[in-house]
Amino acid sequence: MSPSNNPFDWTPSHLTSTDLHPLTLCYDKLTNDCLDELDKLGLTSSSSSSNPSSPSQNDNQCPLHHQPDDFLHLLQTHHHPSSSSSPSLSTLWTHLTTIPPWVSYPSIARGQAVFYRYAGPAITSLTFHSLLGGMASARVVETLARTGGFGTRVARRRLLETFQHILDVTEGGGSMMPDAAGGDHDGGGRGWRSTVRVRFLHGMVRRRIMSLGLSRRGENDRDRDGKRPERRGYWDTQKWGVPINDLDSIATIASFSSALIWMGLPRQGIFLTSQEIEDYLALWRYVAYLIGVPDTITITIPSSESSSSGGGQKTKRRKITPFGSAQEAKMVMESIVLAELSHPSETSAVLANNIIASLANQPPLRSSESFLRAQAYWLNGGSLCEGLKIPRPPVWHTVLVISQCLFFMVFCYSRQAHYLLLKWVPWGNDKNGDNAGVEAAGGHERYKRVRRWMRNVVVEMAGGKEAGFGFEWVPEWGKYTGSERGDEEERGDGKGKGKRRKKKGWGGWIASRNGGSEFRSLKAFLVASTVVGCLVCIGVRGLLLGMMPLFCRSLKTFGLAYCWVLQIIGNQRRCQGSGP
């Protein structure tokens, strides 16, 4: 049972929506307290303040032009264990720089290598399954729509920023090392610094929305169309929970880890080994710890026993580590999928289609909207995509997606075989027989060039500037992401806006798609079809050649038998003619 295209068996260990609901009211309060302390110290700008009257920006335009606060630098500079004015800053710093006992950096390094070993299908899954499919959560999209970062004109840049964070945390084993020195702006690994900044970013968005929810709209405030809306609350905590709550944070990390392992990759024919699963979960468990996700959650569930005092049904507490083991991670992910993705809203459909529209015909892949929709249908299933009101793609593009999966399987399984060969064959590099050289071959060194190339491409597409994860998309009254497509057809290079695109012939299609994923899938389809055709011809030819001697012998035997029968018949007639 699953709203997506990945069914699973429901067991008593799974969590219902009622079990998960209390998590929507819990959040990373420590980060909010740190932001309040920085406000009291006068260290934050007006745009980062919780004051709801700070300047606004229009939806789907460039973010506010200001120098965003570097909250990591402020934390490094102003945390003082002996200071009574900033106890939360000291507590957060201790939390971030203390390495939990379950952290294993060799395992994290191997988990980082897993991402690059399956980079193609992993990126496809994160984009069209984890992100686009995750828009089916009616609660989560309410927060995203209020930030204004998922309009058709800006969603691509917003996605590139998220992808830069993924590249940061998979940079190498040292990228997740904390800054233990304190005070150095460049201290700590790149992934560690980016994750801490994202944690503060989540806290800023949460605090901003909560402050707007407590404020009342001014008499002179207008929406973008100039009309005064009905006087109503900005945020419904009872319906949607606290913005960016613990359940949202767990679901986000699960979409990057568990959903990739057990849903996104298998739908493309890729299955990880148990060691790869363990290492990849170890990486994202530490990312979750740094970003403010509770490592252990307590769920209150009804007990099967009845209360002897007649006070109702008993309850029991159950402790769960969402990313502590493969079994728990899979169970939590499946529970969240069923509880959160079953009833997409109108806003869910708008944001999902905005993502597809923003990525269509864009470099470096230049894939058409039909091909992107085909990937969404293949990874999420028809039921979920229809709930998101994504138009069904032509059958031809589904064939191209299948061809892409075949390409990924050949490429990724060859890499996996090479990794397993390095792991299992004793090369004599380690006297203890642990193959220490495999760590470098399967970790940082082997994929260094791939990492550098991917970072250069992503930064170039994002405008040549690396993401700082500052508070750029500020929630405001009257800002709510909507659909801007109208009657516009698939976008090309941005010219001729509002006009119907001319249908291209095969020559124009190949010229526009050359070098992209769509053309690569076509080539994979042609190669696979040629190989299968050749194998069929060889098989039929071998079958015919193998049966030809038998056929000739059978024909010869039949001919001899026929001649023998004719001879017998002739002899009988002659005997009858020569009788008395």
Side-chain angles (χ1 to χ4, degrees):
M1 54 190 303
S2 172
S4 65
N5 203 27
N6 302 274
F8 55 85
D9 295 326
W10 185 265
T11 65
S13 63
H14 283 77
L15 304 174
T16 65
S17 57
T18 304
D19 299 333
L20 295 171
H21 177 71
L23 294 175
T24 64
L25 303 177
C26 303
Y27 62 97
D28 180 17
K29 189 176 184 300
L30 179 59
T31 302
N32 278 34
D33 293 340
C34 289
L35 293 171
D36 292 338
E37 290 181 0
L38 292 174
D39 281 348
K40 293 178 181 179
L41 295 174
L43 299 174
T44 56
S45 63
S46 58
S47 60
S48 299
S49 172
S50 60
N51 182 7
S53 62
S54 60
S56 64
Q57 90 221 45
N58 291 330
D59 190 14
N60 297 308
Q61 294 181 354
C62 294
L64 289 173
H65 298 285
H66 67 274
Q67 183 65 30
D69 296 316
D70 188 348
F71 291 101
L72 173 59
H73 180 57
L74 295 176
L75 176 64
Q76 290 171 317
T77 306
H78 295 88
H79 78 277
H80 301 292
S82 59
S83 175
S84 59
S85 60
S86 55
S88 298
L89 293 176
S90 301
T91 302
L92 179 59
W93 180 258
T94 302
H95 172 82
L96 294 173
T97 55
T98 300
I99 301 176
W102 44 261
V103 170
S104 170
Y105 280 103
S107 181
I108 288 177
R110 293 193 299 267
Q112 292 168 329
V114 168
F115 177 79
Y116 292 97
R117 190 175 302 130
Y118 308 99
I123 295 172
T124 302
S125 173
L126 290 174
T127 304
F128 297 101
H129 180 262
S130 300
L131 177 66
L132 191 145
M135 293 299 164
S137 175
R139 290 189 315 97
V140 173
V141 295
E142 292 298 329
T143 300
L144 299 177
R146 282 165 171 77
T147 63
F150 282 89
T152 55
R153 297 182 180 88
V154 296
R156 180 170 175 267
R157 178 191 162 187
R158 174 69 178 79
L159 300 182
L160 290 173
E161 291 176 353
T162 300
F163 189 55
Q164 284 190 51
H165 179 237
I166 297 176
L167 294 180
D168 288 344
V169 301
T170 58
E171 183 74 17
S175 68
M176 298 305 293
M177 292 286 186
D179 177 12
D184 183 9
H185 180 69
D186 294 324
R190 173 178 281 178
W192 183 87
R193 298 196 308 269
S194 296
T195 304
V196 175
R197 290 190 173 105
V198 171
R199 179 172 184 168
F200 274 105
L201 174 60
H202 289 173
M204 291 300 306
V205 173
R206 180 193 309 114
R207 191 174 67 150
R208 178 72 178 178
I209 293 179
M210 291 174 69
S211 64
L212 289 171
L214 295 175
S215 66
R216 292 185 63 83
R217 189 159 191 162
E219 292 293 337
N220 297 324
D221 288 345
R222 297 290 191 276
D223 281 336
R224 286 178 296 171
D225 57 4
K227 298 180 180 179
R228 181 183 299 170
E230 296 180 3
R231 189 174 284 277
R232 57 184 179 181
Y234 182 80
W235 183 264
D236 189 347
T237 303
Q238 185 176 2
K239 183 178 181 181
W240 301 316
V242 176
I244 314 183
N245 51 63
D246 284 350
L247 181 60
D248 297 340
S249 300
I250 293 173
T252 300
I253 299 299
S255 68
F256 289 133
S257 56
S258 309
L260 180 70
I261 294 171
W262 288 291
M263 289 187 174
L265 292 182
R267 282 295 298 167
Q268 300 174 83
I270 307 297
F271 296 88
L272 305 186
T273 64
S274 58
Q275 184 64 52
E276 288 175 326
I277 293 174
E278 180 182 341
D279 294 334
Y280 195 66
L281 288 176
L283 166 65
W284 286 102
R285 183 183 181 184
Y286 187 43
V287 173
Y289 171 84
L290 294 176
I291 213 168
V293 178
D295 187 60
T296 302
I297 58 177
T298 302
I299 302 295
T300 302
I301 58 177
S303 175
S304 57
E305 301 177 0
S306 301
S307 175
S308 58
S309 60
Q313 190 176 28
K314 286 186 176 180
T315 59
K316 61 180 181 180
R317 292 180 175 271
R318 175 183 170 193
K319 288 189 175 182
I320 299 173
T321 304
F323 308 102
S325 65
Q327 181 180 2
E328 283 188 306
K330 187 173 185 292
M331 178 272 297
V332 170
M333 179 266 299
E334 293 171 345
S335 301
I336 292 177
V337 165
L338 191 62
E340 293 290 306
L341 306 186
S342 300
H343 304 287
S345 63
E346 290 293 330
T347 305
S348 300
V350 169
L351 297 194
N353 284 277
N354 283 356
I355 291 174
I356 293 178
S358 68
L359 297 177
N361 306 302
Q362 297 297 318
L365 300 180
R366 299 189 180 278
S367 301
S368 65
E369 282 200 33
S370 296
F371 185 67
L372 301 183
R373 293 198 299 264
Q375 294 187 81
Y377 267 83
W378 182 260
L379 293 174
N380 297 289
S383 176
L384 185 65
C385 289
E386 288 172 359
L388 293 173
K389 299 182 180 179
I390 299 175
R392 186 172 290 274
V395 177
W396 167 244
H397 288 87
T398 303
V399 174
L400 291 182
V401 172
I402 297 175
S403 303
Q404 176 178 267
C405 294
L406 295 175
F407 172 80
F408 285 154
M409 291 172 64
V410 173
F411 190 74
C412 293
Y413 280 129
S414 63
R415 281 187 170 185
Q416 187 185 71
H418 183 227
Y419 166 72
L420 295 176
L421 183 65
L422 290 174
K423 180 180 178 181
W424 291 338
V425 176
W427 298 100
N429 295 329
D430 191 351
K431 296 181 180 180
N432 297 325
D434 293 334
N435 283 342
V438 176
E439 296 295 338
H444 178 68
E445 294 298 329
R446 186 180 175 194
Y447 299 110
K448 181 183 291 184
R449 287 183 296 178
V450 179
R451 288 187 176 105
R452 184 167 55 248
W453 174 80
M454 291 179 67
R455 180 172 295 278
N456 292 337
V457 170
V458 171
V459 171
E460 181 181 354
M461 290 191 299
K465 181 181 178 182
E466 293 203 13
F469 307 106
F471 190 36
E472 298 181 349
W473 308 103
V474 183
E476 297 289 346
W477 277 104
K479 180 196 295 185
Y480 196 86
T481 302
S483 177
E484 305 167 8
R485 301 283 323 266
D487 297 328
E488 185 181 350
E489 296 288 321
E490 290 181 303
R491 293 184 297 126
D493 56 1
K495 298 179 181 180
K497 183 178 179 181
K499 298 180 181 180
R500 182 176 295 273
R501 278 187 54 195
K502 295 182 179 179
K503 190 174 182 179
K504 294 182 179 180
W506 278 102
W509 183 88
I510 294 176
S512 63
R513 302 287 185 268
N514 188 19
S517 60
E518 206 165 345
F519 189 65
R520 180 194 61 201
S521 301
L522 174 61
K523 291 188 289 186
F525 172 74
L526 295 177
V527 170
S529 300
T530 303
V531 171
V532 172
C534 292
L535 292 176
V536 171
C537 291
I538 293 174
V540 172
R541 183 175 180 271
L543 181 64
L544 293 178
L545 292 178
M547 294 181 63
M548 188 61 68
L550 178 62
F551 177 75
C552 293
R553 286 196 299 269
S554 300
L555 183 62
K556 183 179 180 180
T557 302
F558 177 78
L560 292 175
Y562 182 71
C563 294
W564 180 66
V565 171
L566 290 179
Q567 185 178 5
I568 293 176
I569 294 175
N571 292 336
Q572 288 180 351
R573 287 179 178 178
R574 284 196 295 270
C575 292
Q576 292 176 358
S578 60

